[in-house]
Amino acid sequence: MSPFLEVRDLKVRFATEGGVVKAVDGVSFTLERGKTLGIVGESGSGKSVTNLTLLGLHNPARTTVTGSALLDGTELIGAPERTLRDLRGRRISMVFQDPLTALSPYYPVGAQIAETYRRHTRAGRKEAAVRAVEMLDRVGIPQPDRRAREHPHLFSGGMRQRAMIAMALVCEPDLLIADEPTTALDVTVQAQILELLAELQAQLGTAIILVTHDLGVVADVTDDVLVMYAGRAVERGSADEVLGAPRHPYTRGLLASVPRLSDDVDVPLQPVPGSPPSLLAPPPGCAFHPRCAQVIEGSESPCRTLLPVLTPATTAQGHAAACHLQSADSTVWPIDQEEQGATA
């Protein structure tokens, strides 16, 4: 049986004045109904670009997309705009990073939720307005009837995030993409948002892709984890496997940078040294090798000359790391000089 969402060899390129940005480079993963996939990595690693591509939200004049993304058998990559418009909001929805900019300042919150509902159903204005109030109440916003008539700037950060979730779920989609849904929220509101997502997932059987920097959130709510670096997937597996026994040096570096309650207060944090590479011209070999403490030394070492990749996505993916130190879990391909450049 095929997985509900199956992404294979997804590549996204942006044409810029400085050259071609390899924003996503051969990412593959699967997701089943009712499950949550966490995608983690530093800013600029390709997490949000991957998910925006699934919704077809990139400018086609500046973007080249290849690969495949099957949503319950429907191909999303290269699909006509009309097909994508019908899918967005109805079968696949997204909670964007910043609800203040994602929500229009010119219309009441309830009207924006009602518009989404009317777009994908035959509901009239009154029915859609009632549905909007019901959704605001469902996500825990007090006095939903009054709040539905207010504009986004009158909502607090947590309430705007809840309103975005209400809009995303108003048509009960099969797939919800939550892009940093707890960013800039205090810990109490974060917990409420995550609890809300879990409750709605249990009620609707929704598959969720959760993009976040917070590894604590990943450990708490996700079933599987995909770690991205420089536009590529560098580790993939269940949350218990990836967080409990990380195989890639980058994943271990991310975990080491998280403070622990058991540590002494004067123990310094251990950040990942260096900076992420430019996606205009990523380094040859493993993109992480300039920052890796375990790099195999030598000008001809595989870390500097050969590109490690994850095994292809399957319905039973297992724990894999794209690292030359994990040869049993990765396949090594010679560098494509045209794709990756020949600079050492």
Side-chain angles (χ1 to χ4, degrees):
M1 184 176 178
S2 299
F4 174 63
L5 175 65
E6 184 174 15
V7 177
R8 286 186 177 272
D9 196 27
L10 182 65
K11 296 181 179 180
V12 183
R13 305 284 189 265
F14 296 129
T16 69
E17 294 181 356
V20 177
V21 176
K22 305 174 183 67
V24 178
D25 195 10
V27 169
S28 299
F29 62 87
T30 62
L31 179 61
E32 302 291 346
R33 290 180 182 271
K35 299 294 185 180
T36 300
L37 171 69
I39 302 182
V40 302
E42 291 170 294
S43 297
S45 61
K47 307 183 301 298
S48 296
V49 172
T50 296
N51 291 302
L52 289 172
T53 303
L54 299 182
L55 285 95
L57 294 179
H58 295 305
N59 182 355
R62 294 177 174 269
T63 310
T64 301
V65 180
T66 60
S68 174
L70 294 173
L71 179 70
D72 200 17
T74 300
E75 180 60 69
L76 302 177
I77 306 304
E81 179 60 25
R82 181 176 180 179
T83 300
L84 293 174
R85 282 199 304 267
D86 289 339
L87 290 173
R88 293 187 204 117
R90 182 174 61 88
R91 298 210 64 190
I92 177 172
S93 290
M94 186 167 184
V95 179
F96 294 93
Q97 285 191 30
D98 186 0
L100 183 59
T101 57
L103 293 167
S104 172
Y106 296 105
Y107 301 98
V109 170
Q112 297 182 56
I113 298 174
E115 180 184 11
T116 301
Y117 188 65
R118 292 188 65 201
R119 171 65 180 80
H120 297 288
T121 67
R122 296 182 178 180
R125 291 182 180 275
K126 290 185 178 179
E127 181 183 352
V130 171
R131 174 67 171 174
V133 173
E134 289 176 351
M135 288 304 300
L136 289 175
D137 182 55
R138 192 172 186 179
V139 298
I141 290 183
Q143 299 179 298
D145 184 61
R146 178 174 67 85
R147 289 295 188 175
R149 299 191 297 270
E150 294 182 346
H151 289 71
H153 71 275
L154 296 175
F155 282 47
S156 67
M159 290 175 63
R160 283 195 293 266
Q161 197 68 277
R162 289 173 182 269
M164 278 295 301
I165 294 173
M167 183 183 299
L169 294 176
V170 67
C171 295
E172 300 186 354
D174 300 309
L175 172 63
L176 175 68
I177 299 172
D179 193 353
E180 298 283 0
T182 59
T183 297
L185 302 179
D186 61 63
V187 176
T188 301
V189 178
Q190 285 185 29
Q192 292 172 349
I193 294 295
L194 294 173
E195 183 179 359
L196 170 63
L197 290 176
E199 290 176 357
L200 294 174
Q201 183 181 48
Q203 294 172 12
L204 305 176
T206 305
I208 296 178
I209 296 177
L210 177 66
V211 178
T212 182
H213 293 278
D214 193 330
L215 296 179
V217 170
V218 171
D220 190 41
V221 304
T222 65
D223 300 292
D224 299 295
V225 177
L226 184 74
V227 182
M228 293 188 65
Y229 184 79
R232 300 184 65 85
V234 298
E235 187 160 0
R236 179 195 64 221
S238 70
D240 290 340
E241 291 172 333
V242 173
L243 301 181
R247 295 182 176 181
H248 197 282
Y250 177 61
T251 309
R252 289 196 287 268
L254 290 178
L255 290 169
S257 67
V258 178
R260 290 170 172 78
L261 291 175
S262 58
D263 292 340
D264 294 332
V265 294
D266 58 347
V267 173
L269 296 179
Q270 301 177 22
V272 180
S275 301
S278 168
L279 297 183
L280 283 169
C286 174
F288 186 62
H289 86 257
R291 309 173 66 187
C292 183
Q294 297 176 280
V295 62
I296 301 173
E297 297 296 342
S299 60
E300 300 300 322
S301 76
C303 295
R304 301 177 188 275
T305 59
L306 297 176
L307 179 66
V309 296
L310 288 167
T311 54
T314 63
T315 53
Q317 296 181 53
H319 189 187
C323 177
H324 294 298
L325 301 175
Q326 300 290 333
S327 58
D329 296 306
S330 63
T331 302
V332 178
W333 291 347
I335 293 176
D336 184 328
Q337 299 294 334
E338 181 179 351
E339 279 285 311
Q340 193 160 325
T343 59

mmCIF file of all heavy atoms in Angstrom, residues 182-231:
data_model
loop_
_atom_site.group_PDB
_atom_site.id
_atom_site.type_symbol
_atom_site.label_atom_id
_atom_site.label_comp_id
_atom_site.label_asym_id
_atom_site.label_seq_id
_atom_site.Cartn_x
_atom_site.Cartn_y
_atom_site.Cartn_z
ATOM 1 N N THR A 182 4.982 27.572 16.718
ATOM 2 C CA THR A 182 5.147 28.071 18.090
ATOM 3 C C THR A 182 6.224 29.139 18.208
ATOM 4 O O THR A 182 6.600 29.522 19.319
ATOM 5 C CB THR A 182 5.500 26.905 19.036
ATOM 6 O OG1 THR A 182 6.712 26.276 18.588
ATOM 7 C CG2 THR A 182 4.392 25.866 19.060
ATOM 8 N N THR A 183 6.717 29.645 17.067
ATOM 9 C CA THR A 183 7.757 30.670 17.103
ATOM 10 C C THR A 183 7.233 31.955 17.762
ATOM 11 O O THR A 183 6.118 32.387 17.495
ATOM 12 C CB THR A 183 8.239 30.988 15.681
ATOM 13 O OG1 THR A 183 8.822 29.810 15.135
ATOM 14 C CG2 THR A 183 9.270 32.098 15.682
ATOM 15 N N ALA A 184 8.053 32.554 18.610
ATOM 16 C CA ALA A 184 7.760 33.834 19.263
ATOM 17 C C ALA A 184 6.589 33.758 20.238
ATOM 18 O O ALA A 184 6.071 34.786 20.660
ATOM 19 C CB ALA A 184 7.490 34.929 18.229
ATOM 20 N N LEU A 185 6.172 32.550 20.610
ATOM 21 C CA LEU A 185 5.116 32.403 21.599
ATOM 22 C C LEU A 185 5.729 31.983 22.931
ATOM 23 O O LEU A 185 6.743 31.292 22.969
ATOM 24 C CB LEU A 185 4.096 31.347 21.150
ATOM 25 C CG LEU A 185 3.400 31.594 19.808
ATOM 26 C CD1 LEU A 185 2.447 30.445 19.506
ATOM 27 C CD2 LEU A 185 2.648 32.921 19.820
ATOM 28 N N ASP A 186 5.099 32.413 24.035
ATOM 29 C CA ASP A 186 5.622 31.999 25.332
ATOM 30 C C ASP A 186 5.354 30.512 25.546
ATOM 31 O O ASP A 186 4.558 29.894 24.835
ATOM 32 C CB ASP A 186 5.020 32.836 26.460
ATOM 33 C CG ASP A 186 3.507 32.693 26.557
ATOM 34 O OD1 ASP A 186 3.037 31.571 26.824
ATOM 35 O OD2 ASP A 186 2.804 33.696 26.361
ATOM 36 N N VAL A 187 6.009 29.933 26.529
ATOM 37 C CA VAL A 187 5.992 28.483 26.715
ATOM 38 C C VAL A 187 4.579 27.958 26.958
ATOM 39 O O VAL A 187 4.195 26.901 26.451
ATOM 40 C CB VAL A 187 6.916 28.088 27.891
ATOM 41 C CG1 VAL A 187 6.835 26.595 28.155
ATOM 42 C CG2 VAL A 187 8.352 28.491 27.598
ATOM 43 N N THR A 188 3.786 28.697 27.712
ATOM 44 C CA THR A 188 2.421 28.255 28.005
ATOM 45 C C THR A 188 1.588 28.186 26.733
ATOM 46 O O THR A 188 0.872 27.199 26.488
ATOM 47 C CB THR A 188 1.756 29.208 29.013
ATOM 48 O OG1 THR A 188 2.528 29.237 30.211
ATOM 49 C CG2 THR A 188 0.347 28.752 29.335
ATOM 50 N N VAL A 189 1.666 29.223 25.900
ATOM 51 C CA VAL A 189 0.902 29.235 24.654
ATOM 52 C C VAL A 189 1.428 28.167 23.701
ATOM 53 O O VAL A 189 0.654 27.518 22.983
ATOM 54 C CB VAL A 189 0.965 30.630 24.002
ATOM 55 C CG1 VAL A 189 0.223 30.635 22.673
ATOM 56 C CG2 VAL A 189 0.358 31.677 24.932
ATOM 57 N N GLN A 190 2.742 27.956 23.667
ATOM 58 C CA GLN A 190 3.303 26.891 22.842
ATOM 59 C C GLN A 190 2.674 25.551 23.183
ATOM 60 O O GLN A 190 2.257 24.794 22.297
ATOM 61 C CB GLN A 190 4.813 26.796 23.048
ATOM 62 C CG GLN A 190 5.621 27.892 22.384
ATOM 63 C CD GLN A 190 7.114 27.659 22.535
ATOM 64 O OE1 GLN A 190 7.550 26.536 22.628
ATOM 65 N NE2 GLN A 190 7.876 28.721 22.569
ATOM 66 N N ALA A 191 2.607 25.258 24.470
ATOM 67 C CA ALA A 191 2.031 23.987 24.905
ATOM 68 C C ALA A 191 0.563 23.876 24.495
ATOM 69 O O ALA A 191 0.097 22.805 24.073
ATOM 70 C CB ALA A 191 2.167 23.847 26.420
ATOM 71 N N GLN A 192 -0.166 24.983 24.583
ATOM 72 C CA GLN A 192 -1.578 24.967 24.197
ATOM 73 C C GLN A 192 -1.736 24.716 22.696
ATOM 74 O O GLN A 192 -2.617 23.951 22.276
ATOM 75 C CB GLN A 192 -2.226 26.294 24.581
ATOM 76 C CG GLN A 192 -2.336 26.516 26.080
ATOM 77 C CD GLN A 192 -2.806 27.916 26.430
ATOM 78 O OE1 GLN A 192 -2.858 28.799 25.569
ATOM 79 N NE2 GLN A 192 -3.130 28.134 27.692
ATOM 80 N N ILE A 193 -0.874 25.346 21.880
ATOM 81 C CA ILE A 193 -0.946 25.168 20.432
ATOM 82 C C ILE A 193 -0.642 23.716 20.057
ATOM 83 O O ILE A 193 -1.346 23.098 19.241
ATOM 84 C CB ILE A 193 0.030 26.121 19.715
ATOM 85 C CG1 ILE A 193 -0.398 27.582 19.909
ATOM 86 C CG2 ILE A 193 0.131 25.777 18.235
ATOM 87 C CD1 ILE A 193 -1.712 27.946 19.285
ATOM 88 N N LEU A 194 0.399 23.149 20.648
ATOM 89 C CA LEU A 194 0.774 21.767 20.340
ATOM 90 C C LEU A 194 -0.303 20.789 20.802
ATOM 91 O O LEU A 194 -0.601 19.802 20.106
ATOM 92 C CB LEU A 194 2.111 21.434 20.993
ATOM 93 C CG LEU A 194 3.309 22.222 20.449
ATOM 94 C CD1 LEU A 194 4.551 21.940 21.282
ATOM 95 C CD2 LEU A 194 3.562 21.879 18.983
ATOM 96 N N GLU A 195 -0.891 21.049 21.959
ATOM 97 C CA GLU A 195 -1.984 20.198 22.441
ATOM 98 C C GLU A 195 -3.181 20.281 21.514
ATOM 99 O O GLU A 195 -3.837 19.281 21.216
ATOM 100 C CB GLU A 195 -2.375 20.614 23.857
ATOM 101 C CG GLU A 195 -3.463 19.733 24.474
ATOM 102 C CD GLU A 195 -3.814 20.157 25.889
ATOM 103 O OE1 GLU A 195 -3.206 21.118 26.400
ATOM 104 O OE2 GLU A 195 -4.706 19.524 26.482
ATOM 105 N N LEU A 196 -3.454 21.490 21.014
ATOM 106 C CA LEU A 196 -4.558 21.686 20.078
ATOM 107 C C LEU A 196 -4.338 20.890 18.791
ATOM 108 O O LEU A 196 -5.245 20.201 18.298
ATOM 109 C CB LEU A 196 -4.703 23.172 19.762
ATOM 110 C CG LEU A 196 -5.655 23.547 18.627
ATOM 111 C CD1 LEU A 196 -7.071 23.131 18.972
ATOM 112 C CD2 LEU A 196 -5.576 25.044 18.350
ATOM 113 N N LEU A 197 -3.123 20.953 18.237
ATOM 114 C CA LEU A 197 -2.821 20.209 17.021
ATOM 115 C C LEU A 197 -2.988 18.711 17.239
ATOM 116 O O LEU A 197 -3.515 17.994 16.374
ATOM 117 C CB LEU A 197 -1.407 20.527 16.548
ATOM 118 C CG LEU A 197 -1.160 21.926 15.989
ATOM 119 C CD1 LEU A 197 0.319 22.107 15.652
ATOM 120 C CD2 LEU A 197 -2.009 22.172 14.748
ATOM 121 N N ALA A 198 -2.540 18.231 18.391
ATOM 122 C CA ALA A 198 -2.656 16.801 18.687
ATOM 123 C C ALA A 198 -4.122 16.384 18.799
ATOM 124 O O ALA A 198 -4.514 15.308 18.301
ATOM 125 C CB ALA A 198 -1.913 16.473 19.981
ATOM 126 N N GLU A 199 -4.944 17.211 19.435
ATOM 127 C CA GLU A 199 -6.364 16.899 19.578
ATOM 128 C C GLU A 199 -7.063 16.861 18.221
ATOM 129 O O GLU A 199 -7.834 15.939 17.932
ATOM 130 C CB GLU A 199 -7.032 17.929 20.483
ATOM 131 C CG GLU A 199 -6.615 17.837 21.945
ATOM 132 C CD GLU A 199 -7.228 18.947 22.782
ATOM 133 O OE1 GLU A 199 -7.921 19.810 22.190
ATOM 134 O OE2 GLU A 199 -7.013 18.957 24.016
ATOM 135 N N LEU A 200 -6.779 17.866 17.390
ATOM 136 C CA LEU A 200 -7.418 17.916 16.075
ATOM 137 C C LEU A 200 -6.938 16.767 15.193
ATOM 138 O O LEU A 200 -7.704 16.220 14.398
ATOM 139 C CB LEU A 200 -7.133 19.266 15.412
ATOM 140 C CG LEU A 200 -7.761 20.474 16.127
ATOM 141 C CD1 LEU A 200 -7.302 21.776 15.485
ATOM 142 C CD2 LEU A 200 -9.279 20.387 16.095
ATOM 143 N N GLN A 201 -5.669 16.392 15.325
ATOM 144 C CA GLN A 201 -5.161 15.261 14.553
ATOM 145 C C GLN A 201 -5.869 13.970 14.959
ATOM 146 O O GLN A 201 -6.232 13.152 14.115
ATOM 147 C CB GLN A 201 -3.657 15.113 14.756
ATOM 148 C CG GLN A 201 -3.031 13.985 13.931
ATOM 149 C CD GLN A 201 -1.545 13.865 14.178
ATOM 150 O OE1 GLN A 201 -1.094 13.848 15.321
ATOM 151 N NE2 GLN A 201 -0.770 13.789 13.108
ATOM 152 N N ALA A 202 -6.080 13.802 16.266
ATOM 153 C CA ALA A 202 -6.760 12.610 16.749
ATOM 154 C C ALA A 202 -8.214 12.569 16.266
ATOM 155 O O ALA A 202 -8.739 11.492 15.936
ATOM 156 C CB ALA A 202 -6.711 12.561 18.274
ATOM 157 N N GLN A 203 -8.854 13.725 16.181
ATOM 158 C CA GLN A 203 -10.253 13.784 15.751
ATOM 159 C C GLN A 203 -10.405 13.572 14.246
ATOM 160 O O GLN A 203 -11.323 12.888 13.798
ATOM 161 C CB GLN A 203 -10.857 15.141 16.128
ATOM 162 C CG GLN A 203 -10.975 15.384 17.621
ATOM 163 C CD GLN A 203 -11.389 16.810 17.933
ATOM 164 O OE1 GLN A 203 -11.798 17.564 17.052
ATOM 165 N NE2 GLN A 203 -11.281 17.189 19.212
ATOM 166 N N LEU A 204 -9.491 14.142 13.468
ATOM 167 C CA LEU A 204 -9.651 14.161 12.015
ATOM 168 C C LEU A 204 -8.751 13.168 11.287
ATOM 169 O O LEU A 204 -8.931 12.949 10.087
ATOM 170 C CB LEU A 204 -9.365 15.580 11.481
ATOM 171 C CG LEU A 204 -10.188 16.719 12.095
ATOM 172 C CD1 LEU A 204 -9.718 18.064 11.542
ATOM 173 C CD2 LEU A 204 -11.675 16.518 11.828
ATOM 174 N N GLY A 205 -7.760 12.599 11.978
ATOM 175 C CA GLY A 205 -6.820 11.703 11.310
ATOM 176 C C GLY A 205 -5.898 12.426 10.348
ATOM 177 O O GLY A 205 -5.425 11.848 9.363
ATOM 178 N N THR A 206 -5.623 13.682 10.625
ATOM 179 C CA THR A 206 -4.815 14.508 9.727
ATOM 180 C C THR A 206 -3.338 14.126 9.816
ATOM 181 O O THR A 206 -2.811 13.884 10.894
ATOM 182 C CB THR A 206 -4.968 15.993 10.101
ATOM 183 O OG1 THR A 206 -6.350 16.337 10.103
ATOM 184 C CG2 THR A 206 -4.230 16.887 9.123
ATOM 185 N N ALA A 207 -2.681 14.070 8.670
ATOM 186 C CA ALA A 207 -1.227 13.941 8.636
ATOM 187 C C ALA A 207 -0.630 15.330 8.818
ATOM 188 O O ALA A 207 -1.136 16.305 8.257
ATOM 189 C CB ALA A 207 -0.769 13.343 7.312
ATOM 190 N N ILE A 208 0.452 15.440 9.603
ATOM 191 C CA ILE A 208 1.033 16.741 9.921
ATOM 192 C C ILE A 208 2.518 16.738 9.601
ATOM 193 O O ILE A 208 3.240 15.798 9.951
ATOM 194 C CB ILE A 208 0.829 17.106 11.407
ATOM 195 C CG1 ILE A 208 -0.669 17.259 11.715
ATOM 196 C CG2 ILE A 208 1.566 18.391 11.761
ATOM 197 C CD1 ILE A 208 -0.950 17.567 13.179
ATOM 198 N N ILE A 209 2.963 17.795 8.924
ATOM 199 C CA ILE A 209 4.389 18.083 8.771
ATOM 200 C C ILE A 209 4.690 19.274 9.664
ATOM 201 O O ILE A 209 4.128 20.350 9.483
ATOM 202 C CB ILE A 209 4.771 18.403 7.320
ATOM 203 C CG1 ILE A 209 4.536 17.188 6.414
ATOM 204 C CG2 ILE A 209 6.232 18.835 7.224
ATOM 205 C CD1 ILE A 209 4.828 17.460 4.944
ATOM 206 N N LEU A 210 5.561 19.071 10.647
ATOM 207 C CA LEU A 210 5.891 20.120 11.603
ATOM 208 C C LEU A 210 7.315 20.598 11.354
ATOM 209 O O LEU A 210 8.269 19.843 11.508
ATOM 210 C CB LEU A 210 5.755 19.591 13.030
ATOM 211 C CG LEU A 210 6.136 20.552 14.161
ATOM 212 C CD1 LEU A 210 5.178 21.741 14.206
ATOM 213 C CD2 LEU A 210 6.138 19.827 15.503
ATOM 214 N N VAL A 211 7.446 21.857 10.942
ATOM 215 C CA VAL A 211 8.757 22.471 10.732
ATOM 216 C C VAL A 211 9.099 23.278 11.970
ATOM 217 O O VAL A 211 8.321 24.146 12.386
ATOM 218 C CB VAL A 211 8.747 23.384 9.493
ATOM 219 C CG1 VAL A 211 10.107 24.057 9.315
ATOM 220 C CG2 VAL A 211 8.386 22.586 8.246
ATOM 221 N N THR A 212 10.237 23.008 12.581
ATOM 222 C CA THR A 212 10.576 23.698 13.813
ATOM 223 C C THR A 212 12.077 23.640 14.080
ATOM 224 O O THR A 212 12.783 22.774 13.561
ATOM 225 C CB THR A 212 9.817 23.076 15.007
ATOM 226 O OG1 THR A 212 10.126 23.793 16.203
ATOM 227 C CG2 THR A 212 10.197 21.618 15.191
ATOM 228 N N HIS A 213 12.556 24.595 14.895
ATOM 229 C CA HIS A 213 13.926 24.573 15.403
ATOM 230 C C HIS A 213 13.987 23.944 16.794
ATOM 231 O O HIS A 213 15.070 23.675 17.294
ATOM 232 C CB HIS A 213 14.492 26.000 15.500
ATOM 233 C CG HIS A 213 14.697 26.658 14.179
ATOM 234 N ND1 HIS A 213 15.806 26.430 13.404
ATOM 235 C CD2 HIS A 213 13.933 27.534 13.488
ATOM 236 C CE1 HIS A 213 15.727 27.145 12.294
ATOM 237 N NE2 HIS A 213 14.601 27.824 12.323
ATOM 238 N N ASP A 214 12.832 23.735 17.395
ATOM 239 C CA ASP A 214 12.759 23.306 18.788
ATOM 240 C C ASP A 214 12.795 21.782 18.858
ATOM 241 O O ASP A 214 11.799 21.103 18.575
ATOM 242 C CB ASP A 214 11.474 23.848 19.420
ATOM 243 C CG ASP A 214 11.458 23.711 20.930
ATOM 244 O OD1 ASP A 214 12.080 22.766 21.437
ATOM 245 O OD2 ASP A 214 10.818 24.555 21.591
ATOM 246 N N LEU A 215 13.928 21.232 19.243
ATOM 247 C CA LEU A 215 14.064 19.784 19.316
ATOM 248 C C LEU A 215 13.230 19.191 20.447
ATOM 249 O O LEU A 215 12.863 18.013 20.393
ATOM 250 C CB LEU A 215 15.529 19.406 19.480
ATOM 251 C CG LEU A 215 16.442 19.768 18.301
ATOM 252 C CD1 LEU A 215 17.881 19.373 18.601
ATOM 253 C CD2 LEU A 215 15.973 19.094 17.023
ATOM 254 N N GLY A 216 12.938 19.993 21.468
ATOM 255 C CA GLY A 216 12.056 19.522 22.529
ATOM 256 C C GLY A 216 10.655 19.270 22.005
ATOM 257 O O GLY A 216 10.014 18.269 22.362
ATOM 258 N N VAL A 217 10.172 20.153 21.150
ATOM 259 C CA VAL A 217 8.868 19.967 20.513
ATOM 260 C C VAL A 217 8.881 18.720 19.633
ATOM 261 O O VAL A 217 7.941 17.919 19.638
ATOM 262 C CB VAL A 217 8.491 21.216 19.694
ATOM 263 C CG1 VAL A 217 7.268 20.948 18.824
ATOM 264 C CG2 VAL A 217 8.236 22.402 20.613
ATOM 265 N N VAL A 218 9.959 18.547 18.887
ATOM 266 C CA VAL A 218 10.078 17.376 18.015
ATOM 267 C C VAL A 218 9.998 16.094 18.830
ATOM 268 O O VAL A 218 9.297 15.144 18.475
ATOM 269 C CB VAL A 218 11.405 17.432 17.226
ATOM 270 C CG1 VAL A 218 11.658 16.121 16.483
ATOM 271 C CG2 VAL A 218 11.371 18.581 16.239
ATOM 272 N N ALA A 219 10.716 16.051 19.939
ATOM 273 C CA ALA A 219 10.721 14.857 20.777
ATOM 274 C C ALA A 219 9.348 14.585 21.370
ATOM 275 O O ALA A 219 8.968 13.426 21.590
ATOM 276 C CB ALA A 219 11.752 15.013 21.889
ATOM 277 N N ASP A 220 8.579 15.645 21.593
ATOM 278 C CA ASP A 220 7.300 15.509 22.287
ATOM 279 C C ASP A 220 6.156 15.099 21.366
ATOM 280 O O ASP A 220 5.276 14.329 21.779
ATOM 281 C CB ASP A 220 6.963 16.827 22.989
ATOM 282 C CG ASP A 220 5.773 16.696 23.921
ATOM 283 O OD1 ASP A 220 5.681 15.672 24.616
ATOM 284 O OD2 ASP A 220 4.934 17.614 23.951
ATOM 285 N N VAL A 221 6.145 15.581 20.118
ATOM 286 C CA VAL A 221 4.929 15.425 19.312
ATOM 287 C C VAL A 221 5.109 14.683 17.991
ATOM 288 O O VAL A 221 4.108 14.339 17.356
ATOM 289 C CB VAL A 221 4.294 16.806 19.022
ATOM 290 C CG1 VAL A 221 4.014 17.561 20.309
ATOM 291 C CG2 VAL A 221 5.170 17.640 18.095
ATOM 292 N N THR A 222 6.322 14.426 17.528
ATOM 293 C CA THR A 222 6.484 13.832 16.206
ATOM 294 C C THR A 222 6.688 12.326 16.272
ATOM 295 O O THR A 222 7.179 11.783 17.261
ATOM 296 C CB THR A 222 7.662 14.459 15.442
ATOM 297 O OG1 THR A 222 8.888 14.145 16.122
ATOM 298 C CG2 THR A 222 7.509 15.970 15.358
ATOM 299 N N ASP A 223 6.314 11.660 15.182
ATOM 300 C CA ASP A 223 6.558 10.224 15.037
ATOM 301 C C ASP A 223 7.885 9.968 14.330
ATOM 302 O O ASP A 223 8.627 9.060 14.702
ATOM 303 C CB ASP A 223 5.416 9.577 14.239
ATOM 304 C CG ASP A 223 4.066 9.748 14.926
ATOM 305 O OD1 ASP A 223 3.873 9.147 15.989
ATOM 306 O OD2 ASP A 223 3.221 10.502 14.395
ATOM 307 N N ASP A 224 8.151 10.750 13.288
ATOM 308 C CA ASP A 224 9.375 10.602 12.508
ATOM 309 C C ASP A 224 10.051 11.954 12.369
ATOM 310 O O ASP A 224 9.402 13.004 12.483
ATOM 311 C CB ASP A 224 9.076 10.020 11.121
ATOM 312 C CG ASP A 224 8.449 8.639 11.210
ATOM 313 O OD1 ASP A 224 9.123 7.707 11.683
ATOM 314 O OD2 ASP A 224 7.271 8.498 10.818
ATOM 315 N N VAL A 225 11.353 11.926 12.067
ATOM 316 C CA VAL A 225 12.138 13.158 11.960
ATOM 317 C C VAL A 225 12.965 13.119 10.686
ATOM 318 O O VAL A 225 13.555 12.084 10.343
ATOM 319 C CB VAL A 225 13.071 13.335 13.181
ATOM 320 C CG1 VAL A 225 13.925 14.596 13.013
ATOM 321 C CG2 VAL A 225 12.268 13.411 14.469
ATOM 322 N N LEU A 226 13.000 14.259 9.993
ATOM 323 C CA LEU A 226 13.873 14.455 8.839
ATOM 324 C C LEU A 226 14.778 15.641 9.157
ATOM 325 O O LEU A 226 14.288 16.740 9.424
ATOM 326 C CB LEU A 226 13.051 14.741 7.584
ATOM 327 C CG LEU A 226 13.822 14.873 6.274
ATOM 328 C CD1 LEU A 226 14.284 13.498 5.797
ATOM 329 C CD2 LEU A 226 12.958 15.532 5.196
ATOM 330 N N VAL A 227 16.086 15.424 9.150
ATOM 331 C CA VAL A 227 17.054 16.482 9.434
ATOM 332 C C VAL A 227 17.605 16.983 8.109
ATOM 333 O O VAL A 227 18.088 16.189 7.294
ATOM 334 C CB VAL A 227 18.201 15.970 10.326
ATOM 335 C CG1 VAL A 227 19.169 17.114 10.658
ATOM 336 C CG2 VAL A 227 17.659 15.345 11.604
ATOM 337 N N MET A 228 17.537 18.308 7.898
ATOM 338 C CA MET A 228 18.006 18.891 6.644
ATOM 339 C C MET A 228 19.204 19.796 6.888
ATOM 340 O O MET A 228 19.289 20.483 7.917
ATOM 341 C CB MET A 228 16.887 19.669 5.954
ATOM 342 C CG MET A 228 15.741 18.802 5.459
ATOM 343 S SD MET A 228 14.544 19.713 4.436
ATOM 344 C CE MET A 228 15.556 20.140 3.016
ATOM 345 N N TYR A 229 20.125 19.777 5.917
ATOM 346 C CA TYR A 229 21.289 20.662 5.962
ATOM 347 C C TYR A 229 21.672 21.023 4.534
ATOM 348 O O TYR A 229 21.824 20.145 3.682
ATOM 349 C CB TYR A 229 22.471 19.984 6.657
ATOM 350 C CG TYR A 229 23.675 20.884 6.808
ATOM 351 C CD1 TYR A 229 23.714 21.835 7.816
ATOM 352 C CD2 TYR A 229 24.748 20.821 5.923
ATOM 353 C CE1 TYR A 229 24.800 22.693 7.963
ATOM 354 C CE2 TYR A 229 25.838 21.662 6.062
ATOM 355 C CZ TYR A 229 25.869 22.598 7.072
ATOM 356 O OH TYR A 229 26.933 23.447 7.212
ATOM 357 N N ALA A 230 21.797 22.324 4.259
ATOM 358 C CA ALA A 230 22.210 22.826 2.943
ATOM 359 C C ALA A 230 21.350 22.255 1.826
ATOM 360 O O ALA A 230 21.852 21.885 0.761
ATOM 361 C CB ALA A 230 23.681 22.508 2.699
ATOM 362 N N GLY A 231 20.041 22.190 2.065
ATOM 363 C CA GLY A 231 19.113 21.766 1.033
ATOM 364 C C GLY A 231 18.964 20.275 0.871
ATOM 365 O O GLY A 231 18.188 19.820 0.022
#
